[in-house]
Amino acid sequence: WTGLAMIMGDEMDLDWKDIRVEAAPARDPYKDPVSGIQVTGGSTGIRNMYGAMAKASATARAMLVAAAASTWNAPSSELRTERGHVIHDKSGRKMTYGALANTAAKLPAPADSQVKLRDKLNFVGKSMPRLDSVDKINGKAIFGIDFSLPGMLYSTLERPPSYGAGLLSFDNEAPLKVPGVKQVIAVKDGVAVLATGIEAAWKGKAALNARWSAGVEPALDDASLEKGFGEGMKTNGIIVKNVGDVDKALDSSTRKLFAEYSVPFVAHATIEPHNCVAHFQADRCDVWVPTQAQTRALQTAMTESGLPEEKVHIHTMPAGGGFGGKIEVFEVGEAVSISRASGHIVKHVWTRAEDFHMDCFRPGSMHRIEAGLDDKGNLGSWKHKVVVPSIMDRIMPDRVKDGIDPSAIDGIANMTYSIPNFRNEYVRFQTPIPNGFWRAVGNTSNTFVVESFIDEMARLAEKDPLEFRLQLLKDDPRSARTLRQAADLSGWGKPPHEGRGRGIAQRFCFGSYCAQVAEVSVNPKTGQIKVHRIVTALDSGQVVNPDSVIAQIEGGVIIALSVALKEKVSFSKGGVATSGFSGYPILTISETPQIESHLMPSGDAIGGIGEPPVPPVAPAVANAVYSAIGIRVRKLPMTPENVLAAIKRG
């Protein structure tokens, strides 16, 4: 929102106070030139759009100059631009872009407009205030859940309590006796109740007394999932990567280590649950939705309305959190179908429980690793088996090649360490639980495992964890440089405060290099971890807005800590058991540590920002726990119960 405006403002020579931004409609001209869709995801907002925005803005500036040249009958070479004006110094003439816009719009766009060199940029590379901050702080910003239209009804949906359950019966008369309830409609996803207020709609839904079939896997619960992951470990998977001779190298290793790690299913748990306002008419459909996926929202609305693209209009609202969860657009399909069936404008709001029950989670996973050191204490072999459900098979099946979901092995098969003998095996765990993109996708789970086990191997080799990593990064100087920077800034090598330990971790993903050091203390009697400090070093190439990058680091650290220490979705009776924050605690302000963010801007290509600060946090904390009390935690989240269990195991 601000970064692209900075790029445009630089190329067009604008005054910052004159810049306004609005959300583009869901239409072809506004699609990401790389992905071919409109979406916020994959840390691509600046990476993919910088070149296109710079070129478009430089072209617009050239057309405005050409318009002034024709108006004044002066050569373009004599004209310059400054703060939204075209200026002819020879004659002292000056015109605003607004005065020239109509003339410029009629000119052909030049094919060879040149973008500015970096040393000519006024905004890019400097911290600029976010253009949306003031309205979000003072309450003027209208989020999706705030939006309303005259005459609309609130809608809610009675849903199956377990995966694949079918509707057997419901009472369509009782809800109509609830004051405010106007309609009860059976739709393909369940039973919709429409009312003049959301509370009335919820009360009406409770009066339905709907009965459902048992679902596709009625015995699904936490215990069955754990058993299923274990059974997956016993099956043969797909060999994703095989370098050297791992088995031979392991046999000849002077020291070996075997470990199993497990990671739970995690929810998006956005503060603003999914919501959508839909107005279906015979020749037009309007949708107001806080979404990360305009193209998917458009396609879904077209399907449910039966209208062609030009008659469907997606209005993007500010979102109270997304993290990959609002790439899903179920609420759009539900709202449009309910509006179409009822003949009303509807505001469709999920409850907090629905937001958990209908989520598409970061998948749980189980890992088994065996690695060995050679006679010089160097890491010579690594065998890594992962059992994990697929994300891509549901969302982007074309990305699954030879049975391999790339998100499942991201951070394992493409780890940055040079290991001469390496094997990665992937077992897809089949489950009815829907999985989706969660901030940094497979990198978060897999980096926790890889970076924790690298630390274990460093301890086995009796080497400093930093130096051990640097030896393995001899072919990756940027990763090594970022790692050193984080270590130096954290005081690595110097004793921490008494009772504390430091841990380090790193990961390259989404085009950026991130290394982090955590400083923690642990109460061995209660198992409670206190994180005192997180130091981050980030190399993301060229930086557009340093202030926004630092904000992304801070947000990434907080969400990563929350997941590392607290978050886990529970299942029972064939569906999701978690129904609110009382059963799904998240990090609070009082638990947030000191966060230090250090940028390492370079002349390299722009990297992503939203996701790279997330993956190294959990392993840095786990490694710091080991440094503090000598206990290895291999199971997330690192709750007091899991820490005490690790202490008991020794």
Side-chain angles (χ1 to χ4, degrees):
W1 198 261
T2 302
L4 293 177
M6 291 169 64
I7 297 163
M8 182 271 295
D10 263 338
E11 293 296 339
M12 289 194 69
D13 280 332
L14 292 172
D15 193 322
W16 187 250
K17 66 179 176 59
D18 294 331
I19 295 175
R20 303 289 183 272
V21 182
E22 63 181 57
R27 290 290 184 263
D28 283 349
Y30 305 100
K31 287 181 176 178
D32 184 314
V34 178
S35 68
I37 58 176
Q38 282 173 276
V39 66
T40 298
S43 296
T44 57
I46 299 294
R47 275 199 299 166
N48 289 3
M49 291 298 295
Y50 189 110
M53 182 62 76
K55 189 71 173 177
S57 303
T59 300
R61 175 168 48 87
M63 294 169 73
L64 290 163
V65 169
S70 65
T71 300
W72 295 332
N73 195 25
S76 295
S77 59
E78 292 183 358
L79 308 183
R80 64 183 179 88
T81 54
E82 181 182 329
R83 292 180 177 270
H85 294 78
V86 179
I87 301 168
H88 187 215
D89 289 320
K90 270 189 177 181
S91 63
R93 285 177 289 188
K94 181 178 182 180
M95 289 184 73
T96 65
Y97 289 168
L100 292 164
N102 287 337
T103 303
K106 298 172 185 176
L107 299 176
D112 59 347
S113 53
Q114 298 297 309
V115 300
K116 294 181 179 181
L117 299 175
R118 289 189 185 180
D119 61 0
K120 302 296 183 183
L121 302 177
N122 294 316
F123 303 139
V124 170
K126 300 175 184 175
S127 287
M128 301 295 291
R130 282 179 54 148
L131 293 172
D132 56 348
S133 287
V134 173
D135 284 351
K136 286 181 176 178
I137 291 167
N138 66 24
K140 287 184 179 180
I142 304 298
F143 287 77
I145 206 163
D146 303 322
F147 185 74
S148 63
L149 289 173
M152 73 181 191
L153 294 178
Y154 288 84
S155 67
T156 187
L157 199 62
E158 171 69 16
R159 307 175 184 281
S162 58
Y163 294 119
L167 182 63
L168 299 176
S169 66
F170 67 95
D171 185 342
N172 61 354
E173 297 294 333
L176 295 172
K177 297 176 183 178
V178 175
V181 172
K182 298 299 183 182
Q183 284 181 280
V184 177
I185 304 171
V187 293
K188 68 175 184 179
D189 297 312
V191 183
V193 177
L194 288 83
T196 54
I198 191 63
E199 294 284 350
W202 291 337
K203 289 178 181 177
K205 181 170 67 172
L208 284 168
N209 281 323
R211 293 177 58 247
W212 298 84
S213 64
V216 295
E217 197 174 316
L220 174 74
D221 60 14
D222 291 344
S224 71
L225 283 170
E226 187 172 356
K227 181 180 178 182
F229 279 114
E231 291 297 323
M233 263 310 162
K234 298 175 185 177
T235 65
N236 293 324
I238 300 171
I239 302 301
V240 178
K241 186 176 181 180
N242 195 15
V243 178
D245 191 330
V246 175
D247 294 326
K248 182 179 178 180
L250 281 169
D251 288 341
S252 62
S253 297
T254 56
R255 281 171 284 178
K256 289 187 289 187
L257 186 62
F258 170 87
E260 287 189 346
Y261 284 80
S262 66
V263 178
F265 288 86
V266 171
H268 293 90
T270 58
I271 296 301
E272 179 191 28
H274 285 257
N275 63 87
C276 179
V277 172
H279 185 192
F280 171 84
Q281 301 171 80
D283 61 349
R284 181 184 175 100
C285 182
D286 286 271
V287 174
W288 292 263
V289 61
T291 182
Q292 295 178 245
Q294 286 82 357
T295 299
R296 294 186 78 193
L298 174 65
Q299 292 168 343
T300 300
M302 288 168 58
T303 298
E304 296 299 331
S305 68
L307 295 173
E309 180 177 325
E310 64 273 12
K311 293 188 177 182
V312 177
H313 305 274
I314 304 297
H315 309 275
T316 303
M317 308 299 293
F323 321 127
K326 289 194 170 90
I327 283 177
E328 309 295 342
V329 292
F330 302 122
E331 73 278 21
V332 173
E334 293 169 356
V336 172
S337 65
I338 294 170
S339 178
R340 184 179 184 180
S342 68
H344 288 284
I345 305 170
V346 299
K347 179 166 184 173
H348 189 58
V349 183
W350 288 10
T351 63
R352 175 60 59 195
E354 285 178 299
D355 214 55
F356 279 108
H357 295 173
M358 288 291 293
D359 203 358
C360 297
F361 306 102
R362 186 191 79 176
S365 60
M366 182 175 284
H367 303 250
R368 179 175 291 169
I369 314 175
E370 188 174 3
L373 303 171
D374 62 20
D375 55 2
K376 296 180 181 178
N378 298 318
L379 183 58
S381 53
W382 182 297
K383 183 162 64 174
H384 191 145
K385 186 174 185 178
V386 57
V387 180
V388 61
S390 175
I391 294 173
M392 292 295 189
D393 190 59
R394 180 183 68 87
I395 299 177
M396 297 178 176
D398 58 308
R399 300 281 182 93
V400 180
K401 305 295 184 184
D402 300 320
I404 301 169
D405 181 337
S407 68
I409 45 84
D410 201 1
I412 301 173
N414 57 356
M415 69 169 77
T416 52
Y417 300 116
S418 296
I419 303 172
N421 301 283
F422 177 87
R423 183 189 301 157
N424 178 204
E425 184 179 355
Y426 161 57
V427 176
R428 179 181 169 185
F429 179 38
Q430 300 282 6
T431 170
I433 300 168
N435 300 287
F437 297 135
W438 190 96
R439 200 166 176 177
V441 202
N443 287 281
T444 56
S445 303
N446 296 340
T447 300
F448 164 68
V449 176
V450 168
E451 284 296 300
S452 295
F453 196 72
I454 281 285
D455 233 63
E456 293 203 57
M457 294 305 294
R459 304 290 182 178
L460 184 66
E462 299 178 347
K463 294 182 179 180
D464 176 82
L466 170 64
E467 296 304 322
F468 189 76
R469 285 174 169 81
L470 291 174
Q471 290 173 7
L472 295 168
L473 292 171
K474 58 182 183 294
D475 297 325
D476 192 340
R478 285 183 74 184
S479 287
R481 184 171 70 99
T482 309
L483 194 65
R484 284 195 192 95
Q485 178 81 335
D488 290 345
L489 293 167
S490 71
W492 190 271
K494 300 175 183 177
H497 290 288
E498 186 176 352
R500 298 185 186 181
R502 289 197 192 102
I504 195 166
Q506 63 89 30
R507 175 67 185 136
F508 166 72
C509 59
F510 301 96
S512 291
Y513 299 77
C514 185
Q516 288 165 326
V517 175
E519 189 170 313
V520 314
S521 59
V522 185
N523 185 328
K525 294 182 180 179
T526 65
Q528 186 71 46
I529 298 171
K530 181 173 179 58
V531 182
H532 299 274
R533 182 183 180 215
I534 298 281
V535 177
T536 300
L538 181 75
D539 176 1
S540 58
Q542 183 184 6
V543 173
V544 173
N545 189 351
D547 183 65
S548 288
V549 175
I550 290 172
Q552 286 280 27
I553 293 172
E554 292 170 348
V557 167
I558 290 169
I559 194 172
L561 272 179
S562 186
V563 168
L565 299 176
K566 293 173 175 284
E567 298 183 32
K568 176 188 176 182
V569 178
S570 290
F571 300 86
S572 68
K573 300 179 181 179
V576 181
T578 302
S579 60
F581 287 121
S582 60
Y584 192 89
I586 59 176
L587 199 74
T588 63
I589 289 176
S590 64
E591 296 168 304
T592 303
Q594 176 183 341
I595 302 173
E596 301 172 23
S597 308
H598 302 272
L599 309 185
M600 304 169 65
S602 66
D604 294 291
I606 293 175
I609 299 300
E611 280 137 316
V614 175
V617 171
V621 171
N623 295 336
V625 168
Y626 183 87
S627 176
I629 62 171
I631 293 298
R632 181 61 59 182
V633 183
R634 299 190 180 111
K635 184 177 183 179
L636 290 182
M638 289 177 273
T639 58
E641 294 77 15
N642 283 341
V643 172
L644 288 175
I647 291 173
K648 186 176 180 180
R649 287 192 302 270

